[in-house]
Amino acid sequence: MLPFHWLTQTIAFGLGISFSPINIALVALLLLGAQPLRRCLTFLTGWMLANGSALGLVVAVGGRLSWAMHLGSRGQILIDLIGAGALVGLGLFQLTPAVAIGEENWAMQLMGRLPELEPLPLLGLGAGCALVSPENLVFYVKEGGMLLTNHTSLRGDVEVGLVFVAITTSLLLLPPLLWLCTGERLRAPLTALNDWLVHRAEWLVGVFALLLGAYLGWQGIEGLHHMALMAAA
């Protein structure tokens, strides 16, 4: 069993990656074409491999910088505050009207190419969609920093990493799970869901990013307070 504070942070960071309306819409759209479940699983495999590899890379590289990962250290505070600033900036950007036009055009072009993709490019697309979002880097660094701070064993790292990857995939699994439960009856609702996610979900991403940014900002402020207490002792 993971310690409770590990589990809550892993869920928060994993959901930050999983809550991606455009990628959920891509998974839902794959269900409307040929071999729906196979194509969905191919995309999700790429997504999971990318998230797991990114976390592993952060832990491997960050092991040499573990001095910067302790609570109250300048490195940890800097990571928290930069991450908070990036997420707040992303949230405010997502709430501006201009972003809807750009994301909508990008999403429609990508969705138009989906029926042409073979399994290998589809696998690459899943990995690319996980890594192309700059805010995901914040979550990889925070999750990796938590592992490095607590000096877990290799087995512990793997267990936490598997939970993290599962959470990053959780929301994207909803369309195929619903498809398995309802089959063809889900075709019309999925079409409507795609339209809603592509055209009207920017504000959800913005609000979610602002909330996570506030959380990281609070952690950074707590780290500053901890550092001040250590300096005064």
Side-chain angles (χ1 to χ4, degrees):
M1 289 290 292
L2 297 178
F4 180 72
H5 69 285
W6 287 26
L7 185 60
T8 54
Q9 289 191 59
T10 297
I11 289 174
F13 300 147
L15 286 178
I17 295 174
S18 186
F19 189 79
S20 174
I22 294 297
N23 290 309
I24 295 172
L26 290 176
V27 173
L29 188 65
L30 288 170
L31 291 170
L32 302 178
Q35 299 179 317
L37 293 177
R38 180 179 177 182
R39 289 169 63 79
C40 278
L41 289 177
T42 302
F43 178 91
L44 291 175
T45 298
W47 174 273
M48 291 186 290
L49 289 174
N51 286 318
S53 298
L55 178 61
L57 181 63
V58 168
V59 172
V61 173
R64 301 181 180 181
L65 304 173
S66 58
W67 54 269
M69 291 297 180
H70 297 287
L71 179 63
S73 70
R74 287 183 176 85
Q76 183 63 56
I77 293 169
L78 188 63
I79 290 171
D80 287 336
L81 294 180
I82 290 177
L87 287 171
V88 169
L90 172 70
L92 294 175
F93 176 68
Q94 287 291 131
L95 294 174
T96 60
V99 73
I101 299 174
E103 286 197 356
E104 186 174 307
N105 289 339
W106 175 82
M108 296 307 291
Q109 291 175 12
L110 182 57
M111 289 178 177
R113 295 179 60 87
L114 277 182
E116 306 171 6
L117 292 181
E118 297 295 327
L120 190 58
L122 197 57
L123 187 74
L125 176 64
C129 286
L131 300 175
V132 74
S133 300
E135 67 273 14
N136 287 357
L137 177 62
V138 176
F139 300 119
Y140 299 142
V141 171
K142 287 296 296 179
E143 184 70 15
M146 184 183 70
L147 293 173
L148 291 169
T149 300
N150 290 276
H151 304 291
T152 56
S153 63
L154 177 59
R155 178 178 177 180
D157 287 349
V158 172
E159 289 177 351
V160 176
L162 289 175
V163 173
F164 176 74
V165 171
I167 299 298
T168 64
T169 315
S170 57
L171 298 181
L172 276 70
L173 279 172
L174 291 179
L177 289 176
L178 289 173
W179 182 271
L180 284 173
C181 294
T182 62
E184 290 294 322
R185 290 177 294 173
L186 197 61
R187 184 173 293 274
L190 277 178
T191 303
L193 175 65
N194 276 333
D195 181 72
W196 189 88
L197 288 174
V198 172
H199 299 286
R200 300 177 180 85
E202 293 81 12
W203 68 273
L204 285 176
V205 176
V207 170
F208 194 66
L210 288 175
L211 290 174
L212 287 171
Y215 170 71
L216 290 185
W218 171 77
Q219 284 201 321
I221 293 171
E222 185 183 31
L224 285 173
H225 177 66
H226 185 79
M227 186 171 65
L229 291 176
M230 291 179 64

